[in-house]
Amino acid sequence: MLDKYITPVIKPLLTPVVALIHKRGITPDQLTVAGFLIGLLAVPLIAYEMWYAALAAIALNRILDGLDGALARYANLSSSAGGFLDITLDFLFYAAIPLGFILANPEQNAIAGAVLLATFIGTGSSFLAFAIAAEKFKLDKPQFKYKSFYYLNGLTEGTETIALFIAFCIWPQHFTIMASIFATACAITIFTRIHGGYNTLKRQEADEVTQANE
């Protein structure tokens, strides 16, 4: 929900850093993989209740995630392969953080964490499934023209998810309630994406049939 507002503010701030990284010969894919590995460090840190160290790993992961795409555009290296790698590792990272909290306190966090992971699967699958169909119909990406593929909006997107992870690390004792509330928001996102995506694609198919009969 907030991604379309936050991204235009952040993009100009990354340009000087991106230029420096480019001069050092670092590639976007290297940044993507490095960011993912750093993000995974948050899992054992959370499991051992090292909350602020985990928060630092999450923050660094997100910074590198912003830089890899910016570097790809700056260096004219944007590609479907890079976009695939980026989104795949992003979703793995998103799933890993709740797992860390489940490991930290299985008795208290297991059920809420499992429900949150289930809704993450729903938001991720609806997002990616629509992106595949959107590519087939060559749908425009008015809000995210710089992305490798179509981004279907929702109530819970990257910005909201990272805000949740930060809140988890600051107030880990409230993981259960926060995870439950966010899972509910994810369920709303799943419904709206399925409903909106289905109807959008039905209209596209109907338009193609109409054009073919003219």
Side-chain angles (χ1 to χ4, degrees), residues 69-130:
L71 177 60
R73 292 184 292 276
Y74 179 87
N76 242 351
L77 293 173
S78 295
S79 67
S80 295
F84 167 76
L85 180 66
D86 180 58
I87 196 63
T88 300
L89 297 187
D90 274 353
F91 277 112
L92 288 172
F93 164 74
Y94 290 148
I97 301 305
L99 175 62
F101 283 91
I102 292 172
L103 295 174
N105 191 337
E107 291 185 4
Q108 177 178 309
N109 296 341
I111 293 177
V115 172
L116 181 61
L117 285 172
T119 57
F120 275 3
I121 292 173
T123 56
S125 59
S126 59
F127 171 91
L128 294 174
F130 185 83

Side-chain angles (χ1 to χ4, degrees), residues 23-214:
K23 288 180 181 179
R24 295 183 177 274
I26 298 172
T27 68
D29 289 350
Q30 288 172 340
L31 282 183
T32 299
V33 173
F36 173 68
L37 295 176
I38 291 171
L40 283 188
L41 287 176
V43 177
L45 292 171
I46 292 168
Y48 285 102
E49 302 185 0
M50 301 172 67
W51 311 122
Y52 290 105
L55 179 56
I58 291 170
L60 189 52
N61 167 275
R62 292 297 86 197
I63 290 170
L64 292 176
D65 182 67
L67 288 171
D68 61 3
L71 177 60
R73 292 184 292 276
Y74 179 87
N76 242 351
L77 293 173
S78 295
S79 67
S80 295
F84 167 76
L85 180 66
D86 180 58
I87 196 63
T88 300
L89 297 187
D90 274 353
F91 277 112
L92 288 172
F93 164 74
Y94 290 148
I97 301 305
L99 175 62
F101 283 91
I102 292 172
L103 295 174
N105 191 337
E107 291 185 4
Q108 177 178 309
N109 296 341
I111 293 177
V115 172
L116 181 61
L117 285 172
T119 57
F120 275 3
I121 292 173
T123 56
S125 59
S126 59
F127 171 91
L128 294 174
F130 185 83
I132 295 170
E135 181 65 24
K136 173 185 174 182
F137 289 111
K138 305 299 181 184
L139 297 183
D140 291 333
K141 302 177 284 185
Q143 295 167 336
F144 299 100
K145 291 182 181 295
Y146 55 89
K147 292 293 187 180
S148 300
F149 45 83
Y150 194 99
Y151 267 49
L152 186 61
N153 291 337
L155 182 60
T156 54
E157 297 176 342
T159 301
E160 293 82 7
T161 304
I162 297 309
L164 176 74
F165 291 169
I166 292 171
F168 281 167
C169 292
I170 297 175
W171 301 289
Q173 69 275 21
H174 300 305
F175 172 85
T176 299
I177 184 64
M178 289 189 289
S180 299
I181 292 172
F182 199 80
T184 301
C186 286
I188 295 171
T189 296
I190 295 167
F191 174 79
T192 57
R193 281 181 173 169
I194 292 174
H195 182 271
Y198 178 82
N199 285 293
T200 297
L201 296 175
K202 287 290 287 185
R203 286 194 298 270
Q204 290 293 323
E205 291 170 343
D207 290 344
E208 284 200 348
V209 171
T210 300
Q211 291 172 7
N213 292 332
E214 288 179 350

